[in-house]
Amino acid sequence: MNGSVIDSYQLSSLIELTSNLADDSMHADLSSQKILLNAVNKLLWTLNFDYCLMIDNEEHIDCLYGEDDRHLKETIELLPIKELKNNTVVLINKVQYYLIYQVLPLEQDKTHTLVFLQQGHAFNSSSLIIIELFSAAVKRLLITKAEEHKRLKLKNEAQVLLRSNQLKSEFLANMSHELKTPMNGILNLVQLLQSTQLESNQKEMLDTIHQSTENLLTVVTDVLEYSKLETNNIKLLSSPFSLEKLIQSMTSELEHEISFKNLSLSKRIQPDLPAQLIGDVLRIKQLLHNLLNNAVKFTKNGSVSIAVTGQSLKNNNFELKIEVEDTGIGMTEDAQTWLFEPFIQGDGSTTREYGGTGLGLAISSKLAKAMNGDIKVHSKLGKGTKFDVILPLKKVADDKMTATSSSTPQKKATISELQPHTILIVEDNLINQKVAGLLLEKLGYKYDIAENGQVALDKLEQKHYTFIFMDIQMPVMNGHDATKEIILRYKNQRPSIVAMTANTFDEDKEKCFSIGMDDFIAKPISEQEIIRVLSKFPIK
């Protein structure tokens, strides 16, 4: 593969490959080696290499691809692999190969090392990203198989099937996090570059990179979101919200695309709707975002409309009904029967012409069910589509509405209000280290970096820090264990500790808070979030 940036074809191939790995890992009759041999052969569709080797914790070398050459293995055994730099040239049988490797940390201090060799030319940056993402999938496969071997066989076949589906979803969720890490770094770096002085052609190229990365991130986020919903790994957070403001916000986001496609957008809101309702506004927005985006996406001419109605019920309950309608391509009756299934669009030509993962409507359907609601579709091919969403919500009591409406909005934190913290970044990924550091420098801060929890503890012995940005998944010592040890050692004199991670499940946040972390920010990190947490915690 040529080029220096991973493209959407390569990413989609990797997602398909990792999904197959997840499926295969559920088969007890398939060994890790057999699954890996199959996966490595499929990897050749997106990556060029001559050899792929796996070195286990006992230094045993297994050839996953290429001729199983004794002399090659002997040469590799003599190399200090983990001390080499990527694209080191090695001589095997009088032939020069470029070597690249990835260390896969497993359970109980065990590690495997995945080695790729290529003759003739070095691996480019696109190849390095592909290898890093593939290695993350292999690591998750090895851990999953190891855990599976420890479990007793479940007696009930229904339980076996249920557990298999859960493990697959957990695998996809973890893999999505691994995929998001490098893309978050690219996105943050591009955003920082966009804030500098640029020539017009440079700005256009950066805008293209930014949009492409956002699109790739959307694909991965959809996979992550669906896997989370599939395992019922979601908690609803209800709070009062203004329905009118929500609809206004969502339609405003569509104005640019509506104008670009020369469509018309209309909204009809029942005049006597309550000023405020109680529900999970983020999930409602996510559901409607998918429907409205699809409406605009699949409409070439005509209009998109949203209608909001509802009726009051007993005990302060309220049934909200939202209709999203378009004059787009529509669909057949047959297509409507499986429309809410994952990875499905109207037909193959729809996917080719309009793109997308086919997860948006599956996610919307599951969100509606999670909120005890319902979603239905009415469509005619070539005539357009209408989605009906019904959600059971609560009305805000009059006294609560008065208190809410009279409250003064919080003043946003400014740089001048930030505390002069001494900051330590605990992060193992080089790209994320750079991104966090550049954002802090932009705000006028100096900082130190620790590549894992143990190094952070060593640095705390040498210097007083008032604030720590703590990653979670790191080798040697993870963020959870490091936080526990810091609290144990320094008690009330400890620095403020904020989790900085791509693990964004509700249980991930709860675990961070339960062990004593002070706050949580999700990757990709933003300048606004850094300002928020730094302003929130005074120097101890």
Side-chain angles (χ1 to χ4, degrees):
M1 302 297 296
N2 296 322
S4 59
V5 178
I6 184 170
D7 59 37
S8 57
Y9 169 77
Q10 292 171 307
L11 180 65
S12 62
S13 298
L14 279 171
I15 290 177
E16 181 181 359
L17 179 55
T18 56
S19 181
N20 289 337
L21 279 170
D23 283 331
D24 291 343
S25 69
M26 298 301 105
H27 293 281
D29 57 333
L30 290 178
S31 66
S32 297
Q33 183 185 29
K34 189 171 183 178
I35 296 172
L36 284 175
L37 286 171
N38 184 46
V40 169
N41 275 280
K42 288 183 179 179
L43 184 64
L44 284 165
W45 299 348
T46 54
L47 179 69
N48 293 323
F49 54 91
D50 296 304
Y51 285 95
C52 178
L53 309 172
M54 177 70 81
I55 306 174
D56 66 19
N57 201 57
E58 310 299 328
E59 301 300 322
H60 172 75
I61 300 175
D62 188 19
C63 187
L64 301 177
Y65 181 80
E67 184 179 352
D68 196 355
D69 186 284
R70 180 179 59 83
H71 183 69
L72 180 142
K73 288 185 176 180
E74 290 174 351
T75 304
I76 295 296
E77 285 175 353
L78 296 174
L79 292 174
I81 296 288
K82 296 177 183 178
E83 298 177 13
L84 299 179
K85 293 183 178 179
N86 280 329
N87 274 322
T88 294
V89 177
V90 296
L91 191 65
I92 302 173
N93 292 332
K94 299 181 180 180
V95 179
Q96 286 189 343
Y97 290 88
Y98 288 86
L99 181 149
I100 187 170
Y101 69 93
Q102 285 284 319
V103 177
L104 313 179
L106 305 176
E107 294 179 332
Q108 299 176 345
D109 298 325
K110 292 182 179 180
T111 61
H112 281 38
T113 305
L114 199 58
V115 179
F116 291 84
L117 296 168
Q118 180 172 247
Q119 184 180 340
H121 55 86
F123 293 91
N124 60 25
S125 57
S126 174
S127 298
L128 297 179
I129 294 174
I130 292 171
I131 288 172
E132 182 178 347
L133 298 179
F134 177 75
S135 299
V138 171
K139 181 185 77 171
R140 183 50 53 185
L141 166 70
L142 295 175
I143 292 174
T144 301
K145 292 296 283 185
E147 291 175 345
E148 193 66 16
H149 289 154
K150 296 176 184 177
R151 296 184 177 97
L152 296 173
K153 288 184 178 181
L154 298 174
K155 295 180 179 179
N156 189 293
E157 289 186 2
Q159 287 180 308
V160 173
L161 179 61
L162 176 62
R163 184 56 182 153
S164 295
N165 286 334
Q166 288 176 336
L167 286 171
K168 177 182 176 181
S169 296
E170 290 167 9
F171 180 98
L172 289 173
N174 282 305
M175 192 56 235
S176 295
H177 283 305
E178 301 280 4
L179 288 167
K180 286 172 73 176
T181 296
M183 284 189 286
N184 286 339
I186 294 170
L187 195 59
N188 279 128
L189 288 173
V190 169
Q191 289 171 338
L192 286 168
L193 277 174
Q194 286 175 321
S195 66
T196 63
Q197 290 186 347
L198 300 167
E199 296 179 3
S200 58
N201 64 328
Q202 292 174 323
K203 186 178 185 303
E204 288 178 8
M205 287 187 286
L206 276 177
D207 288 344
T208 301
I209 294 173
H210 185 273
Q211 186 59 53
S212 297
T213 308
E214 285 276 18
N215 291 341
L216 294 177
L217 197 57
T218 298
V219 172
V220 176
T221 300
D222 280 350
V223 174
L224 171 62
E225 185 65 31
Y226 186 78
S227 66
K228 181 167 59 176
L229 289 166
E230 194 174 32
T231 56
N232 296 317
N233 220 340
I234 183 173
K235 293 183 180 179
L236 300 177
L237 302 174
S238 295
S239 61
F241 68 94
S242 167
L243 183 60
E244 185 176 358
K245 288 182 180 179
L246 172 63
I247 301 301
Q248 179 60 44
S249 169
M250 301 207 64
T251 53
S252 296
E253 292 175 4
L254 296 172
E255 286 177 356
H256 175 75
E257 187 68 14
I258 289 285
S259 175
F260 178 77
K261 298 182 73 171
N262 199 27
L263 303 174
S264 65
L265 174 65
S266 63
K267 55 183 177 181
R268 303 186 304 278
I269 301 178
Q270 182 176 311
D272 60 346
L273 289 177
Q276 286 194 317
L277 294 168
I278 297 176
D280 191 327
V281 65
L282 292 179
R283 297 302 181 184
I284 297 172
K285 184 174 182 179
Q286 184 181 8
L287 188 161
L288 295 179
H289 175 82
N290 288 335
L291 297 183
L292 286 167
N293 272 10
N294 271 7
V296 175
K297 179 179 179 179
F298 294 112
T299 302
K300 292 183 178 180
N301 302 292
S303 64
V304 173
S305 66
I306 180 169
V308 184
T309 59
Q311 59 178 336
S312 296
L313 305 174
K314 295 180 179 179
N315 301 321
N316 228 31
N317 292 315
F318 190 85
E319 183 180 82
L320 178 68
K321 182 177 181 180
I322 301 176
E323 298 176 0
V324 175
E325 189 169 6
D326 64 66
T327 58
I329 61 175
M331 67 192 81
T332 64
E333 289 187 10
D334 181 57
Q336 295 174 52
T337 61
W338 37 257
L339 184 64
F340 296 110
E341 295 299 315
F343 304 106
I344 293 295
Q345 289 189 345
D347 56 39
S349 61
T350 302
T351 304
R352 288 191 295 273
E353 182 175 356
Y354 295 94
T357 60
L359 284 173
L361 292 177
I363 290 172
S364 293
S365 176
K366 283 189 171 291
L367 286 174
K369 290 179 181 177
M371 292 184 280
N372 297 316
D374 192 21
I375 180 170
K376 294 181 180 178
V377 60
H378 310 278
S379 183
K380 288 186 178 181
L381 188 62
K383 299 293 184 180
T385 302
K386 182 177 78 167
F387 286 95
D388 294 333
V389 179
I390 296 177
L391 298 174
L393 303 174
K394 287 277 189 180
K395 292 190 293 185
V396 177
D398 291 338
D399 56 338
K400 291 184 179 179
M401 284 181 56
T402 304
T404 304
S405 60
S406 63
S407 61
T408 304
Q410 277 192 327
K411 183 181 178 181
K412 292 185 178 179
T414 63
I415 294 179
S416 62
E417 296 170 325
L418 297 176
Q419 301 291 333
H421 283 290
T422 308
I423 297 173
L424 178 64
I425 300 171
V426 188
E427 168 68 63
D428 64 314
N429 184 276
L430 294 175
I431 296 176
N432 290 334
Q433 289 176 4
K434 188 69 174 176
V435 167
L438 288 172
L439 286 170
L440 288 171
E441 287 175 4
K442 186 177 178 183
L443 297 173
Y445 282 102
K446 293 182 180 181
Y447 58 89
D448 292 322
I449 291 175
E451 58 267 30
N452 59 59
Q454 183 57 57
V455 175
L457 292 174
D458 295 341
K459 286 184 176 292
L460 282 165
E461 291 293 324
Q462 302 164 12
K463 182 176 178 179
H464 176 67
Y465 294 97
T466 63
F467 203 100
I468 295 178
F469 287 102
M470 182 75 74
D471 187 26
I472 301 302
Q473 292 184 345
M474 295 178 290
V476 184
M477 180 182 284
N478 63 45
H480 292 141
D481 292 341
T483 298
K484 291 176 184 176
E485 186 62 28
I486 291 170
I487 294 172
L488 180 64
R489 289 187 187 183
Y490 300 99
K491 297 181 174 59
N492 293 334
Q493 300 302 313
R494 69 172 179 87
S496 299
I497 304 174
V498 171
M500 183 175 66
T501 177
N503 297 339
T504 55
F505 284 168
D506 291 329
E507 63 268 24
D508 295 321
K509 297 179 182 179
E510 289 175 3
K511 185 171 182 180
C512 289
F513 289 123
S514 68
I515 65 173
M517 288 185 170
D518 299 296
D519 212 319
F520 182 103
I521 58 176
K523 296 174 182 174
I525 57 176
S526 67
E527 182 178 335
Q528 290 75 18
E529 277 291 273
I530 287 183
I531 290 174
R532 179 184 69 81
V533 294
L534 286 171
S535 302
K536 182 177 179 180
F537 301 104
I539 294 175
K540 295 180 180 179

